[in-house]
Amino acid sequence: LVLLASVATCNLQELTMEDLLPTLRLKNIRVSVVSLSPEIFALKNLCVETGGRFEVAMSHTHFEELLRSHLSAPEIQGKDVAPQMVRMGFPRLLEIEAKKPEACACHFQVRNSLYVCPQCHGRSCGLPSRCKICDLPLVSASVLARAFRSVVPLAPFLPVDLGALSTRCKGCQQTFSSGTSCQSCQQIFCKTCDDFIHHGLRQCPGCLESTSSQ
């Protein structure tokens, strides 16, 4: 993603836009530009040829909307791109007794607790990591869940105006007259809980409660 605020480009003599395009195509790099200045043909052509977008911001609000549109990952284009499985291990936690000290394979230091690789039974001292014996990626369920939420963010809540009425927030149980509502479970949250859910928790408590009750 390129943010541009210039009305001209200055290319090096040994590297032009035409020379750069084959390299970008070979490495499957998609170029998008959000410009604060008028459209530049060379950059727009580069975006079109690589499958990106060239957009000109018309105002401050429009500029923020264009930036937010690039926060989520774009869809993969091309039939030749096939998903690949990634092998991962979920090690068990081993509490070490004082009479039988053990050292981790990564730092060769004695630890009070170690993670046992499910493939080679090597010892590691932390997660996420990679087993030093068999090179298997080691993760925990909580780490994997946080990574998934970073890739697939929670959908924004819709604003709700209750007028003269007041209701309790599903998160903090405080009363308020205006807030936001989850599109899935229809639960209403205050502004503070909305910020915490989207930037910290990354999961809707109302959706989790409805899922666990089923």
Side-chain angles (χ1 to χ4, degrees), residues 12 19 28 31 33 37 67 73 85-86 104 132 162 167 194 212:
L12 299 176
D19 298 331
N28 294 324
V31 179
V33 175
S37 56
L67 286 183
M85 301 296 293
V86 178
C104 63
K132 292 296 182 179
L162 302 175
T167 185
D194 187 349
S212 60

Side-chain angles (χ1 to χ4, degrees), residues 25-86:
R25 285 176 175 173
L26 180 63
K27 297 183 178 296
N28 294 324
I29 298 177
R30 182 181 304 172
V31 179
S32 295
V33 175
V34 176
S35 178
L36 301 178
S37 56
E39 182 179 294
I40 298 178
F41 174 78
L43 285 178
K44 182 177 181 180
N45 182 65
L46 188 67
C47 296
V48 172
E49 293 296 333
T50 57
R53 294 150 45 193
F54 187 98
E55 298 165 312
V56 178
M58 306 302 295
S59 63
H60 179 270
T61 304
H62 188 213
F63 176 71
E64 292 182 349
E65 293 177 355
L66 294 178
L67 286 183
R68 284 195 294 268
S69 67
H70 288 278
L71 294 179
S72 57
E75 297 181 359
I76 298 178
Q77 300 178 355
K79 298 180 180 179
D80 55 345
V81 179
Q84 296 181 355
M85 301 296 293
V86 178

